[in-house]
């Protein structure tokens, strides 16, 4: 588990705490979670405050990723509303960077909603120039990539 007040290291995402959702045999999918630090656990208990799930992909997005055979795709990134001011999502994205490096990948990709552009831009993602994507007729999404 990641304590979002700490610096993210490869040991954090490799499950050094003994509580990891990563299957090391496959290295294809992971769920990274954040829980309140000891300081905040008095008020909130030991509940999850954020999560991000990632999966290794191999599809037509590769045309935008030089020399890549596969990439790590961020399926979802969610943080409880009360914890968004503490940059939990930013810490989770840093953990994604570390895990992708640990797995040996060079790219992270996300389909970002317009409301989330700043989060991903601040984390080093760039917009991939292509047609906006949409899911179920909802807001347009934009493909974004980060080279790590």
């Amino acid at each position: 588990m990641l304590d979002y007040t700490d610096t993210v290291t490869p040991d954090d995402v490799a499950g050094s705490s003994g509580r990891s959702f990563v299957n090391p045999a496959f290295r294809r999918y992971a769920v990274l979670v954040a829980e309140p630090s000891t300081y905040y656990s008095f008020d909130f208990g030991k509940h999850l405050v954020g999560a991000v799930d990632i999966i290794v992909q191999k599809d037509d997005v590769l045309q935008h990723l030089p020399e890549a055979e596969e990439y790590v795709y961020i399926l979802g990134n969610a943080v409880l509303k009360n914890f968004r001011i503490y940059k939990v999502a930013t810490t989770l994205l840093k953990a994604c960077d570390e895990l992708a490096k640990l797995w040996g990948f060079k790219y992270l990709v996300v389909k970002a909603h317009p409301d989330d552009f700043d989060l991903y831009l601040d984390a080093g993602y760039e917009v991939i120039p292509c047609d906006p994507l949409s899911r179920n007729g909802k807001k347009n999404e934009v493909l974004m990539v980060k080279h790590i």
Side-chain angles (χ1 to χ4, degrees), residues 19 21 28 30 50 71 76 85 87 141:
R19 294 168 43 186
F21 294 94
R28 309 303 280 170
Y71 63 92
I85 62 170
K87 300 203 177 275
E141 298 175 324

Side-chain angles (χ1 to χ4, degrees), residues 49-78:
V49 297
V52 61
D53 54 337
I54 59 175
I55 190 168
V56 175
Q57 295 281 76
K58 183 177 186 175
D59 57 24
D60 60 342
V61 171
L62 289 170
Q63 66 184 326
H64 303 288
L65 310 176
E67 302 177 16
E69 295 179 15
E70 295 178 313
Y71 63 92
V72 176
Y73 178 69
I74 297 175
L75 290 165
N77 188 356

Side-chain angles (χ1 to χ4, degrees), residues 110-121:
V110 65
K111 292 177 185 170
H113 293 276
D115 295 343
D116 299 329
F117 286 170
D118 288 341
L119 170 68
Y120 291 105
L121 289 171

Side-chain angles (χ1 to χ4, degrees), residues 63-124:
Q63 66 184 326
H64 303 288
L65 310 176
E67 302 177 16
E69 295 179 15
E70 295 178 313
Y71 63 92
V72 176
Y73 178 69
I74 297 175
L75 290 165
N77 188 356
V79 175
L80 292 176
K81 199 172 198 171
N82 291 344
F83 285 85
R84 292 181 185 162
I85 62 170
Y86 300 111
K87 300 203 177 275
V88 175
T90 300
T91 301
L92 287 168
L93 289 177
K94 288 178 185 176
C96 290
D97 292 352
E98 292 300 324
L99 187 55
K101 287 180 202 173
L102 189 67
W103 285 354
F105 292 96
K106 295 181 182 179
Y107 295 98
L108 283 151
V109 176
V110 65
K111 292 177 185 170
H113 293 276
D115 295 343
D116 299 329
F117 286 170
D118 288 341
L119 170 68
Y120 291 105
L121 289 171
D122 290 347

